[in-house]
Amino acid sequence: MKKLILILFFISNISVFAIEKDSLYIPKPLLSGNYILLDDCDACGCAAGNGSSGFESLLNPQFIGIKYFNQHYKAKENLFVNGVTQNQYFNTLQLWGKIPVSKKLSIYGNIPFQFHEKRTLQGDIKINGIGDASLMGIYEILQSKDSYHQLSGGFGVKIPIGKFDEKGITGVNPSFQLGTGSWDYQLALSYKYQKNLFALMLNSDYTIKTENKKHYQFGNQWNYAVTGFQRLWRNENSIFSGKLGLQGEVYDWNKQFGELMPRTAGSALYGKLGFEFSYKKFSLGSELMLPAYTNLASGDIEAKSRFSVFVNFGL
């Protein structure tokens, strides 16, 4: 709770300092971009491995690029033995992009490569390979005449090209997979307020997950986030901004043959801190996320940290 209070305090301070006459200096071609929180890691399940790092780039909102995303969890080694835990690391390297189709419509897509590891008393277990691809259409619903307010929505699909291992669902964390084996669908909504040196973004998305060929269905997932951006420095070709915010995730129960699987639902709330640097059409960004609250898989899994870094080329 102390972490949560501190994060909220810092966000409120950023909004106070943003009342300056200078401009956030977003290049004009980028002002029509849409901003949606998207699920980046598709090895999904109840509580781990389906983390949402999202993209909220204000510097190059239409882009192609590459991103690395790391998640660290601690899970019970044995449900019947207290105090014995294992570290689990979910790593994703993905090609991603958001390409404009028209003034209001963009297409987002990503293809991830997963390399995951869990360290058990019996030895380390590693899996790697391509994950599930994602495709989404993003539409600008409205934008105010002064460009201070913008609302965008999206609808997407996750394509099951990653391998799903039926044996993996018997462990403490059934999310230790390369893919879900199922076609999943996503609805997203994003609101942006931007004025002077400051921008505030509110994002929410909901993923509807279906049953795969092995009759296993991961629980639906709701992500939400609030992020404040502050432009800290700029010159003619470059911009540097910092960002600070909160991000939450809620997971429904997994099912097998239509029956609810116990100890699979959960939720978590993270504080996040990051930056973005842009030089002409290139941008570099990074983000660190730490849990303010975690109750995953009825407490059997503890969220520890997340880290991401990306390099994009603006379109």
Side-chain angles (χ1 to χ4, degrees), residues 284-299:
L284 169 70
S286 184
E287 189 173 83
L288 175 65
M289 299 174 61
L290 296 174
Y293 166 80
T294 172
N295 182 26
L296 304 174
S298 301

Side-chain angles (χ1 to χ4, degrees), residues 70-72 87-91 115-117 119 176:
N70 169 271
Q71 303 175 79
H72 177 202
N87 287 301
Q88 299 185 349
Y89 300 93
F90 292 76
N91 299 279
F115 45 108
H116 305 330
E117 177 184 6
R119 300 173 181 175
F176 194 75

Side-chain angles (χ1 to χ4, degrees), residues 24 81 110 135 252 259 307:
L24 189 63
V81 180
N110 81 63
L135 191 66
D252 203 354
E259 298 293 328
F307 173 78

Side-chain angles (χ1 to χ4, degrees), residues 41-143:
C41 190
D42 292 313
C44 53
C46 67
N50 194 28
S52 175
S53 172
F55 71 83
E56 306 105 333
S57 174
L58 289 179
L59 304 185
N60 281 325
Q62 295 170 336
F63 64 91
I64 55 173
I66 187 168
K67 179 175 182 177
Y68 168 72
F69 183 38
N70 169 271
Q71 303 175 79
H72 177 202
Y73 298 90
K74 183 163 285 189
K76 286 186 177 180
E77 175 81 20
N78 189 312
L79 294 178
F80 305 101
V81 180
N82 292 325
V84 180
T85 60
Q86 61 181 226
N87 287 301
Q88 299 185 349
Y89 300 93
F90 292 76
N91 299 279
T92 301
L93 187 66
Q94 71 176 18
L95 295 174
W96 66 341
K98 189 154 76 70
I99 300 173
V101 177
S102 66
K103 183 178 179 181
K104 291 183 175 292
L105 179 65
S106 296
I107 300 296
Y108 165 83
N110 81 63
I111 301 178
F113 183 83
Q114 321 274 28
F115 45 108
H116 305 330
E117 177 184 6
K118 58 182 177 181
R119 300 173 181 175
T120 74
L121 292 176
Q122 290 75 33
D124 296 349
I125 300 174
K126 298 181 181 180
I127 58 174
N128 61 77
I130 194 168
D132 294 341
S134 295
L135 191 66
M136 172 175 276
I138 301 171
Y139 185 77
E140 181 187 289
I141 300 172
L142 63 87
Q143 185 176 74

Side-chain angles (χ1 to χ4, degrees), residues 258-275:
E259 298 293 328
L260 293 179
M261 302 300 294
R263 310 181 79 85
T264 54
S267 60
L269 178 66
Y270 297 84
K272 57 181 181 178
L273 175 68
F275 75 89

